[in-house]
Structure formats: C-alpha cells, structure tokens
Amino acid sequence: MTIQETLYSFVNRWECDENDHLNVQFYFSRFDEADRQFRLISGLNETLVGARRVRHVRYHRELRTGDLITVQSCIAFDGPHMLTVVHEMRNAGAGTLVATAVDGYEPSANSAKVLRQRFKDFQCPMIAEATPRGIPSSPFALRTNLAGLLSNGAEICFRGTVLPRDIGVDGKADDRYALSCCTDGVAHVWQRTPMTHAFLTENGYGRVAVEMKLTWATPLKSGDTVVVATGFTGAGSRTFNMRHHVFESRTGRLAATLDVVALTMNLTTRKAVELPADAQQRINKMLID
C-alpha cells in the first residue's frame, strides 16, 4: 500500500462563494475529513508524532457546483517537514488535480527510523505540486500580540463567536471555522488596496487565494469570542501576501495565523490578471513584517 483513498465528496451550491466556486473554508473541511480517515487507516496519532504544526494548501484549479471530489493521502518522508502528510484533491469527473495540502509534524529527531518503519505501507514520494511555493513551509513564529500588530499597521477585519456547530470531534474549533473568520473578513482587507469592491465589480474581477498556510497556536472552544487582525506581508506584479491573526478576544491570546497568497481573477476568462499599476507599491508601504 502507498497512497490511500481517504475522501469521496461533492460540491454543494451553498458552499460556493461570490466567485461561483468552492469557498476555501470547504477545501479545508474536506482535507480535515480526509485526514481523519487517513489516521484511522494508518494508525497515525499525536502520541506518535505530536500535534500538527501547519496545514499548507495550494489551489491548482477551481471546483464548481456539482463537481465530484476525491482525496488521496500518504506520508512523504522527503517532504518539507520531519514527518509530512500529503493530501491530493482531484475533480473526479475531470480527473484533474484541484488542490493539495501538506500537514507538517515535528516528532523527536531520534524517532525518524522508527516512524519510517511503522508507516512503510503508507509512504509515497513528495508530490511536486504540493510543495510550498509562495509561503515558507515552516510554522509562523507565534510570538505576537494584538496591540503590537495594530501599532505596526495591521487592522481588525472580523469579530465573532465560536458556536457549537464550529467544534470538531476533538472538542476544539476546526480548521473550517478559522478559515471562515478570515474569509468573512478578507473583503475589508482588500478595501485597503486599489482592488476595492467598486473596482472589482466595475471590471468583473474576483478575489482569489492560490496558497494558504494555517498555523494553530492555542485551541478555541465553544463560547470563545474571536477577533482577526490582518496585515500585508508582500506584493508582486500579480499576487500579494497577507497574514490573518486570530485572537481569543477576552484574554488576547493568539489562537491561529493564516498566511495567504492572493490575486485578482477575471470572472469571465477565469484567469489571473495583473494588479493595478500602483497596487504593488501601495501594499509594500503597509507591510507588517
């Protein structure tokens, strides 16, 4: 055995956003379920490898209403982490690769040989398309606070509450919830750039993410209130980067960060377009790093 079939699913209309494609939070929810199934099949657990440090997702093609989804998963010991689990999502109808996820673990260094032997039936070579590209693979250094971020140029874009429906099987808020906070707030982040809602609407453009890295710092539970502060971390001619910081509001503790590579897409051609002429310069003047 090598790569394992871990998910069979389907794109529901209610999961699609204003761009008429599957919203990123539901890619993460599919990868979460595939991961649960892979753990069951392989015997992977936190006692052996510790908690997942990052989930790094790349989006290769769109998924639209009615598309069939499959995910295959394996362990890649030649991946970017000491132990890397790779998930490969495909459009089952077209047979095309649509997204990949890299889950990074850092078990003790002296356990590498034992882990290779234990999971020899679930290994595969690192999938090239899953290799991080626009965001470093290592977890974000989680030493930051809300006041410091705001003084350095980040701005609040979301406030909310963790509800019972947001809790996973482990009693903690799941990846989908963290993503939903950020995606609900991100339109306010774009308003700080030349790609405002009015600009996008006038030109028939949409806001799109092509790569994301989620790093959990501390768990969130039902009833916790959250605030998201976001700042820019870089810009090029076609893409720009931002980092969302999800805090628990009452104590001010950092719960998670989400690094994002974003671009503007023509909603007719479904192709990326160049950023406005002054966008790169303006964004690079607001960097928080």
Side-chain angles (χ1 to χ4, degrees):
M1 293 186 292
T2 52
I3 197 162
Q4 305 293 307
E5 295 177 338
T6 49
L7 186 84
Y8 297 88
S9 191
F10 177 85
V11 178
N12 296 285
R13 184 176 298 278
W14 58 267
E15 296 174 311
C16 296
D17 56 25
E18 74 280 6
N19 295 330
D20 194 30
H21 61 199
L22 187 67
N23 186 272
V24 292
Q25 64 183 290
F26 298 110
Y27 283 86
F28 271 75
S29 69
R30 298 311 199 283
F31 283 130
D32 252 354
E33 185 56 47
D35 184 57
R36 284 190 286 268
Q37 297 301 320
F38 182 69
R39 286 168 175 263
L40 176 65
I41 294 167
S42 67
L44 184 74
N45 59 66
E46 291 189 2
T47 302
L48 293 171
V49 298
R52 187 189 81 211
R53 301 194 70 197
V54 297
R55 171 161 286 159
H56 201 136
V57 174
R58 291 187 61 195
Y59 305 98
H60 305 283
R61 290 178 178 83
E62 297 177 273
L63 281 169
R64 312 289 289 273
T65 300
D67 283 343
L68 281 68
I69 302 171
T70 59
V71 177
Q72 294 182 310
S73 309
C74 66
I75 295 174
F77 282 103
D78 59 342
H81 305 278
M82 183 174 174
L83 189 142
T84 302
V85 176
V86 185
H87 307 285
E88 182 184 74
M89 182 183 293
R90 291 187 173 273
N91 179 328
T96 53
L97 181 69
V98 294
T100 50
V102 169
D103 293 349
Y105 298 85
E106 296 298 329
S108 61
N110 58 11
S111 66
K113 185 175 181 180
V114 173
L115 293 173
R116 283 178 179 270
Q117 180 61 29
R118 184 178 186 117
F119 297 110
K120 61 183 175 62
D121 292 334
F122 305 97
Q123 295 182 40
C124 67
M126 179 62 187
I127 298 168
E129 293 87 350
T131 301
R133 183 175 177 181
I135 304 170
S137 60
S138 57
F140 172 68
L142 298 171
R143 297 183 182 89
T144 190
N145 60 74
L146 181 58
L149 284 168
L150 297 179
S151 67
N152 201 35
E155 292 187 8
I156 291 173
C157 67
F158 178 84
R159 292 183 184 272
T161 305
V162 183
L163 301 176
R165 65 171 181 256
D166 304 314
I167 301 301
V169 296
D170 58 359
K172 306 171 187 176
D174 57 17
D175 285 5
R176 186 210 59 78
Y177 177 74
L179 266 290
S180 71
C181 295
C182 300
T183 58
D184 282 357
V186 75
H188 298 277
V189 181
W190 281 68
Q191 285 296 104
R192 301 174 59 195
T193 78
M195 292 82 73
T196 62
H197 179 71
F199 170 84
L200 296 173
T201 301
E202 180 181 351
N203 289 279
Y205 294 162
R207 296 179 288 264
V208 178
V210 293
E211 189 170 352
M212 289 178 160
K213 181 180 70 178
L214 177 65
T215 306
W216 280 100
T218 58
L220 292 168
K221 64 181 187 302
S222 182
D224 283 345
T225 54
V226 301
V227 58
V228 178
T230 303
F232 300 105
T233 55
S237 61
R238 283 204 171 198
T239 65
F240 63 99
N241 292 34
M242 67 185 82
R243 182 178 301 124
H244 301 282
H245 307 78
V246 183
F247 290 91
E248 195 280 317
S249 305
R250 293 187 181 93
T251 63
R253 63 179 170 84
L254 181 65
T257 61
L258 180 69
D259 287 279
V260 181
V261 179
L263 56 76
T264 303
M265 181 178 75
N266 184 306
L267 294 177
T268 300
T269 65
R270 314 305 287 189
K271 301 292 185 182
V273 297
E274 296 283 337
L275 300 182
D278 61 339
Q280 182 176 354
Q281 182 178 11
R282 285 180 58 181
I283 292 172
N284 280 326
K285 287 181 178 180
M286 297 186 283
L287 302 187
I288 59 172
D289 279 355

PDB file of all heavy atoms in Angstrom, residues 131-169:
ATOM      1  N   THR A 131       4.350  21.054  -3.090  1.00  0.00           N
ATOM      2  CA  THR A 131       5.473  21.743  -2.457  1.00  0.00           C
ATOM      3  C   THR A 131       5.162  23.225  -2.268  1.00  0.00           C
ATOM      4  O   THR A 131       4.746  23.902  -3.216  1.00  0.00           O
ATOM      5  CB  THR A 131       6.737  21.593  -3.323  1.00  0.00           C
ATOM      6  OG1 THR A 131       7.026  20.202  -3.488  1.00  0.00           O
ATOM      7  CG2 THR A 131       7.925  22.285  -2.664  1.00  0.00           C
ATOM      8  N   PRO A 132       5.337  23.757  -1.052  1.00  0.00           N
ATOM      9  CA  PRO A 132       5.074  25.181  -0.817  1.00  0.00           C
ATOM     10  C   PRO A 132       5.842  26.058  -1.804  1.00  0.00           C
ATOM     11  O   PRO A 132       6.996  25.777  -2.141  1.00  0.00           O
ATOM     12  CB  PRO A 132       5.568  25.389   0.618  1.00  0.00           C
ATOM     13  CG  PRO A 132       5.370  24.042   1.259  1.00  0.00           C
ATOM     14  CD  PRO A 132       5.693  23.051   0.186  1.00  0.00           C
ATOM     15  N   ARG A 133       5.176  27.105  -2.239  1.00  0.00           N
ATOM     16  CA  ARG A 133       5.756  27.957  -3.278  1.00  0.00           C
ATOM     17  C   ARG A 133       5.833  29.418  -2.857  1.00  0.00           C
ATOM     18  O   ARG A 133       6.901  30.004  -2.858  1.00  0.00           O
ATOM     19  CB  ARG A 133       4.946  27.811  -4.563  1.00  0.00           C
ATOM     20  CG  ARG A 133       5.491  28.592  -5.745  1.00  0.00           C
ATOM     21  CD  ARG A 133       4.700  28.289  -7.006  1.00  0.00           C
ATOM     22  NE  ARG A 133       5.154  29.083  -8.134  1.00  0.00           N
ATOM     23  CZ  ARG A 133       4.631  29.034  -9.347  1.00  0.00           C
ATOM     24  NH1 ARG A 133       3.620  28.210  -9.591  1.00  0.00           N
ATOM     25  NH2 ARG A 133       5.101  29.785 -10.329  1.00  0.00           N
ATOM     26  N   GLY A 134       4.700  30.018  -2.514  1.00  0.00           N
ATOM     27  CA  GLY A 134       4.681  31.455  -2.217  1.00  0.00           C
ATOM     28  C   GLY A 134       4.747  31.785  -0.747  1.00  0.00           C
ATOM     29  O   GLY A 134       4.785  32.967  -0.371  1.00  0.00           O
ATOM     30  N   ILE A 135       4.759  30.757   0.123  1.00  0.00           N
ATOM     31  CA  ILE A 135       4.797  30.937   1.575  1.00  0.00           C
ATOM     32  C   ILE A 135       5.803  29.932   2.128  1.00  0.00           C
ATOM     33  O   ILE A 135       5.779  28.760   1.747  1.00  0.00           O
ATOM     34  CB  ILE A 135       3.413  30.675   2.212  1.00  0.00           C
ATOM     35  CG1 ILE A 135       2.336  31.563   1.587  1.00  0.00           C
ATOM     36  CG2 ILE A 135       3.459  30.897   3.718  1.00  0.00           C
ATOM     37  CD1 ILE A 135       0.917  31.188   2.002  1.00  0.00           C
ATOM     38  N   PRO A 136       6.693  30.341   3.033  1.00  0.00           N
ATOM     39  CA  PRO A 136       7.636  29.382   3.621  1.00  0.00           C
ATOM     40  C   PRO A 136       6.900  28.237   4.298  1.00  0.00           C
ATOM     41  O   PRO A 136       5.810  28.408   4.846  1.00  0.00           O
ATOM     42  CB  PRO A 136       8.417  30.228   4.637  1.00  0.00           C
ATOM     43  CG  PRO A 136       8.266  31.637   4.166  1.00  0.00           C
ATOM     44  CD  PRO A 136       6.907  31.715   3.530  1.00  0.00           C
ATOM     45  N   SER A 137       7.503  27.050   4.274  1.00  0.00           N
ATOM     46  CA  SER A 137       6.837  25.870   4.820  1.00  0.00           C
ATOM     47  C   SER A 137       6.823  25.828   6.341  1.00  0.00           C
ATOM     48  O   SER A 137       5.932  25.229   6.943  1.00  0.00           O
ATOM     49  CB  SER A 137       7.519  24.596   4.295  1.00  0.00           C
ATOM     50  OG  SER A 137       8.889  24.571   4.681  1.00  0.00           O
ATOM     51  N   SER A 138       7.782  26.470   6.988  1.00  0.00           N
ATOM     52  CA  SER A 138       7.872  26.398   8.444  1.00  0.00           C
ATOM     53  C   SER A 138       6.739  27.164   9.104  1.00  0.00           C
ATOM     54  O   SER A 138       6.221  28.139   8.542  1.00  0.00           O
ATOM     55  CB  SER A 138       9.212  26.962   8.930  1.00  0.00           C
ATOM     56  OG  SER A 138       9.371  28.295   8.479  1.00  0.00           O
ATOM     57  N   PRO A 139       6.315  26.745  10.304  1.00  0.00           N
ATOM     58  CA  PRO A 139       5.243  27.453  11.009  1.00  0.00           C
ATOM     59  C   PRO A 139       5.625  28.897  11.302  1.00  0.00           C
ATOM     60  O   PRO A 139       6.808  29.205  11.516  1.00  0.00           O
ATOM     61  CB  PRO A 139       5.065  26.653  12.303  1.00  0.00           C
ATOM     62  CG  PRO A 139       5.669  25.323  12.020  1.00  0.00           C
ATOM     63  CD  PRO A 139       6.784  25.569  11.049  1.00  0.00           C
ATOM     64  N   PHE A 140       4.638  29.778  11.324  1.00  0.00           N
ATOM     65  CA  PHE A 140       4.869  31.169  11.693  1.00  0.00           C
ATOM     66  C   PHE A 140       5.270  31.241  13.162  1.00  0.00           C
ATOM     67  O   PHE A 140       4.715  30.532  14.005  1.00  0.00           O
ATOM     68  CB  PHE A 140       3.595  31.994  11.448  1.00  0.00           C
ATOM     69  CG  PHE A 140       3.671  33.398  11.975  1.00  0.00           C
ATOM     70  CD1 PHE A 140       4.526  34.323  11.418  1.00  0.00           C
ATOM     71  CD2 PHE A 140       2.890  33.784  13.062  1.00  0.00           C
ATOM     72  CE1 PHE A 140       4.599  35.620  11.913  1.00  0.00           C
ATOM     73  CE2 PHE A 140       2.943  35.078  13.561  1.00  0.00           C
ATOM     74  CZ  PHE A 140       3.810  35.997  12.979  1.00  0.00           C
ATOM     75  N   ALA A 141       6.256  32.073  13.484  1.00  0.00           N
ATOM     76  CA  ALA A 141       6.657  32.273  14.881  1.00  0.00           C
ATOM     77  C   ALA A 141       5.504  32.933  15.631  1.00  0.00           C
ATOM     78  O   ALA A 141       5.094  34.043  15.299  1.00  0.00           O
ATOM     79  CB  ALA A 141       7.908  33.142  14.948  1.00  0.00           C
ATOM     80  N   LEU A 142       4.987  32.250  16.652  1.00  0.00           N
ATOM     81  CA  LEU A 142       3.726  32.641  17.276  1.00  0.00           C
ATOM     82  C   LEU A 142       3.904  33.582  18.465  1.00  0.00           C
ATOM     83  O   LEU A 142       3.130  33.560  19.409  1.00  0.00           O
ATOM     84  CB  LEU A 142       2.963  31.378  17.696  1.00  0.00           C
ATOM     85  CG  LEU A 142       2.597  30.461  16.521  1.00  0.00           C
ATOM     86  CD1 LEU A 142       2.054  29.135  17.018  1.00  0.00           C
ATOM     87  CD2 LEU A 142       1.591  31.132  15.595  1.00  0.00           C
ATOM     88  N   ARG A 143       4.897  34.422  18.420  1.00  0.00           N
ATOM     89  CA  ARG A 143       5.120  35.403  19.488  1.00  0.00           C
ATOM     90  C   ARG A 143       4.663  36.777  19.002  1.00  0.00           C
ATOM     91  O   ARG A 143       5.433  37.549  18.443  1.00  0.00           O
ATOM     92  CB  ARG A 143       6.598  35.446  19.887  1.00  0.00           C
ATOM     93  CG  ARG A 143       7.111  34.135  20.457  1.00  0.00           C
ATOM     94  CD  ARG A 143       8.563  34.268  20.913  1.00  0.00           C
ATOM     95  NE  ARG A 143       9.089  33.004  21.409  1.00  0.00           N
ATOM     96  CZ  ARG A 143       9.682  32.094  20.663  1.00  0.00           C
ATOM     97  NH1 ARG A 143       9.815  32.308  19.362  1.00  0.00           N
ATOM     98  NH2 ARG A 143      10.138  30.981  21.180  1.00  0.00           N
ATOM     99  N   THR A 144       3.399  37.060  19.164  1.00  0.00           N
ATOM    100  CA  THR A 144       2.856  38.341  18.743  1.00  0.00           C
ATOM    101  C   THR A 144       1.630  38.647  19.586  1.00  0.00           C
ATOM    102  O   THR A 144       1.070  37.757  20.241  1.00  0.00           O
ATOM    103  CB  THR A 144       2.500  38.315  17.242  1.00  0.00           C
ATOM    104  OG1 THR A 144       2.196  39.632  16.800  1.00  0.00           O
ATOM    105  CG2 THR A 144       1.311  37.392  16.969  1.00  0.00           C
ATOM    106  N   ASN A 145       1.224  39.901  19.613  1.00  0.00           N
ATOM    107  CA  ASN A 145       0.029  40.289  20.355  1.00  0.00           C
ATOM    108  C   ASN A 145      -0.753  41.304  19.536  1.00  0.00           C
ATOM    109  O   ASN A 145      -0.232  41.929  18.601  1.00  0.00           O
ATOM    110  CB  ASN A 145       0.392  40.852  21.739  1.00  0.00           C
ATOM    111  CG  ASN A 145       1.282  42.080  21.645  1.00  0.00           C
ATOM    112  OD1 ASN A 145       0.838  43.164  21.285  1.00  0.00           O
ATOM    113  ND2 ASN A 145       2.562  41.903  21.978  1.00  0.00           N
ATOM    114  N   LEU A 146      -2.020  41.455  19.886  1.00  0.00           N
ATOM    115  CA  LEU A 146      -2.919  42.290  19.102  1.00  0.00           C
ATOM    116  C   LEU A 146      -2.475  43.747  19.095  1.00  0.00           C
ATOM    117  O   LEU A 146      -2.440  44.384  18.031  1.00  0.00           O
ATOM    118  CB  LEU A 146      -4.350  42.164  19.644  1.00  0.00           C
ATOM    119  CG  LEU A 146      -5.423  42.968  18.914  1.00  0.00           C
ATOM    120  CD1 LEU A 146      -5.482  42.589  17.438  1.00  0.00           C
ATOM    121  CD2 LEU A 146      -6.786  42.751  19.572  1.00  0.00           C
ATOM    122  N   ALA A 147      -2.114  44.281  20.271  1.00  0.00           N
ATOM    123  CA  ALA A 147      -1.725  45.693  20.337  1.00  0.00           C
ATOM    124  C   ALA A 147      -0.501  45.967  19.471  1.00  0.00           C
ATOM    125  O   ALA A 147      -0.440  46.979  18.757  1.00  0.00           O
ATOM    126  CB  ALA A 147      -1.448  46.082  21.789  1.00  0.00           C
ATOM    127  N   GLY A 148       0.468  45.059  19.515  1.00  0.00           N
ATOM    128  CA  GLY A 148       1.670  45.245  18.711  1.00  0.00           C
ATOM    129  C   GLY A 148       1.375  45.205  17.223  1.00  0.00           C
ATOM    130  O   GLY A 148       1.929  45.986  16.442  1.00  0.00           O
ATOM    131  N   LEU A 149       0.511  44.304  16.812  1.00  0.00           N
ATOM    132  CA  LEU A 149       0.148  44.210  15.400  1.00  0.00           C
ATOM    133  C   LEU A 149      -0.549  45.475  14.914  1.00  0.00           C
ATOM    134  O   LEU A 149      -0.249  46.006  13.841  1.00  0.00           O
ATOM    135  CB  LEU A 149      -0.769  43.011  15.177  1.00  0.00           C
ATOM    136  CG  LEU A 149      -0.108  41.639  15.174  1.00  0.00           C
ATOM    137  CD1 LEU A 149      -1.172  40.552  15.237  1.00  0.00           C
ATOM    138  CD2 LEU A 149       0.752  41.458  13.924  1.00  0.00           C
ATOM    139  N   LEU A 150      -1.499  45.969  15.727  1.00  0.00           N
ATOM    140  CA  LEU A 150      -2.244  47.159  15.327  1.00  0.00           C
ATOM    141  C   LEU A 150      -1.333  48.380  15.237  1.00  0.00           C
ATOM    142  O   LEU A 150      -1.503  49.236  14.366  1.00  0.00           O
ATOM    143  CB  LEU A 150      -3.392  47.411  16.305  1.00  0.00           C
ATOM    144  CG  LEU A 150      -4.469  46.318  16.360  1.00  0.00           C
ATOM    145  CD1 LEU A 150      -5.542  46.669  17.381  1.00  0.00           C
ATOM    146  CD2 LEU A 150      -5.091  46.085  14.986  1.00  0.00           C
ATOM    147  N   SER A 151      -0.352  48.455  16.127  1.00  0.00           N
ATOM    148  CA  SER A 151       0.584  49.582  16.082  1.00  0.00           C
ATOM    149  C   SER A 151       1.544  49.482  14.898  1.00  0.00           C
ATOM    150  O   SER A 151       2.155  50.476  14.502  1.00  0.00           O
ATOM    151  CB  SER A 151       1.382  49.655  17.392  1.00  0.00           C
ATOM    152  OG  SER A 151       2.250  48.536  17.519  1.00  0.00           O
ATOM    153  N   ASN A 152       1.651  48.267  14.328  1.00  0.00           N
ATOM    154  CA  ASN A 152       2.576  48.052  13.217  1.00  0.00           C
ATOM    155  C   ASN A 152       1.870  48.059  11.861  1.00  0.00           C
ATOM    156  O   ASN A 152       2.487  47.742  10.844  1.00  0.00           O
ATOM    157  CB  ASN A 152       3.304  46.721  13.418  1.00  0.00           C
ATOM    158  CG  ASN A 152       4.605  46.646  12.643  1.00  0.00           C
ATOM    159  OD1 ASN A 152       5.304  47.636  12.485  1.00  0.00           O
ATOM    160  ND2 ASN A 152       4.932  45.459  12.158  1.00  0.00           N
ATOM    161  N   GLY A 153       0.574  48.387  11.849  1.00  0.00           N
ATOM    162  CA  GLY A 153      -0.110  48.542  10.574  1.00  0.00           C
ATOM    163  C   GLY A 153      -1.199  47.533  10.275  1.00  0.00           C
ATOM    164  O   GLY A 153      -1.924  47.685   9.290  1.00  0.00           O
ATOM    165  N   ALA A 154      -1.320  46.482  11.093  1.00  0.00           N
ATOM    166  CA  ALA A 154      -2.430  45.553  10.893  1.00  0.00           C
ATOM    167  C   ALA A 154      -3.741  46.228  11.290  1.00  0.00           C
ATOM    168  O   ALA A 154      -3.748  47.186  12.072  1.00  0.00           O
ATOM    169  CB  ALA A 154      -2.215  44.287  11.711  1.00  0.00           C
ATOM    170  N   GLU A 155      -4.860  45.738  10.767  1.00  0.00           N
ATOM    171  CA  GLU A 155      -6.169  46.276  11.112  1.00  0.00           C
ATOM    172  C   GLU A 155      -7.138  45.132  11.378  1.00  0.00           C
ATOM    173  O   GLU A 155      -7.014  44.038  10.817  1.00  0.00           O
ATOM    174  CB  GLU A 155      -6.719  47.159   9.990  1.00  0.00           C
ATOM    175  CG  GLU A 155      -5.932  48.443   9.794  1.00  0.00           C
ATOM    176  CD  GLU A 155      -6.590  49.377   8.783  1.00  0.00           C
ATOM    177  OE1 GLU A 155      -7.736  49.085   8.356  1.00  0.00           O
ATOM    178  OE2 GLU A 155      -5.955  50.387   8.422  1.00  0.00           O
ATOM    179  N   ILE A 156      -8.103  45.385  12.256  1.00  0.00           N
ATOM    180  CA  ILE A 156      -9.127  44.379  12.571  1.00  0.00           C
ATOM    181  C   ILE A 156     -10.095  44.279  11.389  1.00  0.00           C
ATOM    182  O   ILE A 156     -10.558  45.293  10.857  1.00  0.00           O
ATOM    183  CB  ILE A 156      -9.869  44.752  13.863  1.00  0.00           C
ATOM    184  CG1 ILE A 156      -8.930  44.615  15.069  1.00  0.00           C
ATOM    185  CG2 ILE A 156     -11.112  43.879  14.057  1.00  0.00           C
ATOM    186  CD1 ILE A 156      -9.504  45.119  16.374  1.00  0.00           C
ATOM    187  N   CYS A 157     -10.398  43.035  10.980  1.00  0.00           N
ATOM    188  CA  CYS A 157     -11.319  42.835   9.864  1.00  0.00           C
ATOM    189  C   CYS A 157     -12.478  41.910  10.217  1.00  0.00           C
ATOM    190  O   CYS A 157     -13.384  41.721   9.392  1.00  0.00           O
ATOM    191  CB  CYS A 157     -10.576  42.281   8.651  1.00  0.00           C
ATOM    192  SG  CYS A 157      -9.931  40.607   8.846  1.00  0.00           S
ATOM    193  N   PHE A 158     -12.480  41.345  11.441  1.00  0.00           N
ATOM    194  CA  PHE A 158     -13.555  40.409  11.795  1.00  0.00           C
ATOM    195  C   PHE A 158     -13.662  40.292  13.306  1.00  0.00           C
ATOM    196  O   PHE A 158     -12.655  40.313  14.015  1.00  0.00           O
ATOM    197  CB  PHE A 158     -13.260  39.022  11.203  1.00  0.00           C
ATOM    198  CG  PHE A 158     -14.288  37.967  11.555  1.00  0.00           C
ATOM    199  CD1 PHE A 158     -15.454  37.838  10.817  1.00  0.00           C
ATOM    200  CD2 PHE A 158     -14.094  37.120  12.637  1.00  0.00           C
ATOM    201  CE1 PHE A 158     -16.398  36.872  11.139  1.00  0.00           C
ATOM    202  CE2 PHE A 158     -15.034  36.154  12.967  1.00  0.00           C
ATOM    203  CZ  PHE A 158     -16.192  36.030  12.227  1.00  0.00           C
ATOM    204  N   ARG A 159     -14.906  40.157  13.781  1.00  0.00           N
ATOM    205  CA  ARG A 159     -15.182  39.789  15.173  1.00  0.00           C
ATOM    206  C   ARG A 159     -16.288  38.735  15.157  1.00  0.00           C
ATOM    207  O   ARG A 159     -17.216  38.828  14.350  1.00  0.00           O
ATOM    208  CB  ARG A 159     -15.629  40.988  16.017  1.00  0.00           C
ATOM    209  CG  ARG A 159     -14.545  42.035  16.250  1.00  0.00           C
ATOM    210  CD  ARG A 159     -15.041  43.149  17.156  1.00  0.00           C
ATOM    211  NE  ARG A 159     -14.056  44.193  17.313  1.00  0.00           N
ATOM    212  CZ  ARG A 159     -13.101  44.194  18.238  1.00  0.00           C
ATOM    213  NH1 ARG A 159     -13.012  43.169  19.094  1.00  0.00           N
ATOM    214  NH2 ARG A 159     -12.245  45.191  18.319  1.00  0.00           N
ATOM    215  N   GLY A 160     -16.200  37.738  16.038  1.00  0.00           N
ATOM    216  CA  GLY A 160     -17.211  36.697  16.041  1.00  0.00           C
ATOM    217  C   GLY A 160     -17.136  35.830  17.281  1.00  0.00           C
ATOM    218  O   GLY A 160     -16.353  36.092  18.198  1.00  0.00           O
ATOM    219  N   THR A 161     -17.959  34.791  17.296  1.00  0.00           N
ATOM    220  CA  THR A 161     -18.066  33.874  18.431  1.00  0.00           C
ATOM    221  C   THR A 161     -18.013  32.435  17.926  1.00  0.00           C
ATOM    222  O   THR A 161     -18.593  32.116  16.893  1.00  0.00           O
ATOM    223  CB  THR A 161     -19.401  34.099  19.185  1.00  0.00           C
ATOM    224  OG1 THR A 161     -19.498  35.477  19.565  1.00  0.00           O
ATOM    225  CG2 THR A 161     -19.474  33.218  20.430  1.00  0.00           C
ATOM    226  N   VAL A 162     -17.306  31.589  18.660  1.00  0.00           N
ATOM    227  CA  VAL A 162     -17.269  30.171  18.334  1.00  0.00           C
ATOM    228  C   VAL A 162     -18.574  29.540  18.816  1.00  0.00           C
ATOM    229  O   VAL A 162     -18.898  29.597  20.010  1.00  0.00           O
ATOM    230  CB  VAL A 162     -16.073  29.466  19.005  1.00  0.00           C
ATOM    231  CG1 VAL A 162     -16.028  27.988  18.576  1.00  0.00           C
ATOM    232  CG2 VAL A 162     -14.760  30.163  18.659  1.00  0.00           C
ATOM    233  N   LEU A 163     -19.330  28.939  17.897  1.00  0.00           N
ATOM    234  CA  LEU A 163     -20.600  28.310  18.220  1.00  0.00           C
ATOM    235  C   LEU A 163     -20.445  26.788  18.246  1.00  0.00           C
ATOM    236  O   LEU A 163     -19.468  26.254  17.707  1.00  0.00           O
ATOM    237  CB  LEU A 163     -21.653  28.714  17.189  1.00  0.00           C
ATOM    238  CG  LEU A 163     -21.925  30.225  17.079  1.00  0.00           C
ATOM    239  CD1 LEU A 163     -22.905  30.512  15.953  1.00  0.00           C
ATOM    240  CD2 LEU A 163     -22.429  30.790  18.399  1.00  0.00           C
ATOM    241  N   PRO A 164     -21.395  26.082  18.867  1.00  0.00           N
ATOM    242  CA  PRO A 164     -21.282  24.607  18.919  1.00  0.00           C
ATOM    243  C   PRO A 164     -21.095  23.962  17.556  1.00  0.00           C
ATOM    244  O   PRO A 164     -20.389  22.957  17.435  1.00  0.00           O
ATOM    245  CB  PRO A 164     -22.610  24.197  19.563  1.00  0.00           C
ATOM    246  CG  PRO A 164     -22.969  25.349  20.445  1.00  0.00           C
ATOM    247  CD  PRO A 164     -22.536  26.570  19.677  1.00  0.00           C
ATOM    248  N   ARG A 165     -21.691  24.540  16.500  1.00  0.00           N
ATOM    249  CA  ARG A 165     -21.554  23.946  15.166  1.00  0.00           C
ATOM    250  C   ARG A 165     -20.132  24.064  14.613  1.00  0.00           C
ATOM    251  O   ARG A 165     -19.801  23.413  13.611  1.00  0.00           O
ATOM    252  CB  ARG A 165     -22.534  24.604  14.203  1.00  0.00           C
ATOM    253  CG  ARG A 165     -22.268  26.076  13.932  1.00  0.00           C
ATOM    254  CD  ARG A 165     -23.155  26.602  12.794  1.00  0.00           C
ATOM    255  NE  ARG A 165     -22.918  28.000  12.501  1.00  0.00           N
ATOM    256  CZ  ARG A 165     -23.728  28.990  12.861  1.00  0.00           C
ATOM    257  NH1 ARG A 165     -24.849  28.729  13.520  1.00  0.00           N
ATOM    258  NH2 ARG A 165     -23.428  30.246  12.555  1.00  0.00           N
ATOM    259  N   ASP A 166     -19.297  24.891  15.239  1.00  0.00           N
ATOM    260  CA  ASP A 166     -17.929  25.107  14.763  1.00  0.00           C
ATOM    261  C   ASP A 166     -16.921  24.156  15.396  1.00  0.00           C
ATOM    262  O   ASP A 166     -15.725  24.216  15.078  1.00  0.00           O
ATOM    263  CB  ASP A 166     -17.492  26.552  15.053  1.00  0.00           C
ATOM    264  CG  ASP A 166     -18.434  27.579  14.444  1.00  0.00           C
ATOM    265  OD1 ASP A 166     -18.797  27.412  13.266  1.00  0.00           O
ATOM    266  OD2 ASP A 166     -18.812  28.526  15.157  1.00  0.00           O
ATOM    267  N   ILE A 167     -17.384  23.293  16.293  1.00  0.00           N
ATOM    268  CA  ILE A 167     -16.496  22.424  17.060  1.00  0.00           C
ATOM    269  C   ILE A 167     -16.308  21.089  16.357  1.00  0.00           C
ATOM    270  O   ILE A 167     -17.256  20.461  15.890  1.00  0.00           O
ATOM    271  CB  ILE A 167     -17.054  22.215  18.484  1.00  0.00           C
ATOM    272  CG1 ILE A 167     -17.192  23.563  19.190  1.00  0.00           C
ATOM    273  CG2 ILE A 167     -16.166  21.270  19.284  1.00  0.00           C
ATOM    274  CD1 ILE A 167     -15.885  24.341  19.323  1.00  0.00           C
ATOM    275  N   GLY A 168     -15.051  20.634  16.304  1.00  0.00           N
ATOM    276  CA  GLY A 168     -14.738  19.358  15.685  1.00  0.00           C
ATOM    277  C   GLY A 168     -14.884  18.210  16.660  1.00  0.00           C
ATOM    278  O   GLY A 168     -15.298  18.380  17.815  1.00  0.00           O
ATOM    279  N   VAL A 169     -14.501  17.026  16.214  1.00  0.00           N
ATOM    280  CA  VAL A 169     -14.663  15.827  17.033  1.00  0.00           C
ATOM    281  C   VAL A 169     -13.745  15.824  18.249  1.00  0.00           C
ATOM    282  O   VAL A 169     -13.965  15.073  19.204  1.00  0.00           O
ATOM    283  CB  VAL A 169     -14.405  14.562  16.186  1.00  0.00           C
ATOM    284  CG1 VAL A 169     -15.448  14.432  15.094  1.00  0.00           C
ATOM    285  CG2 VAL A 169     -12.996  14.581  15.580  1.00  0.00           C
TER     286      VAL A 169
END
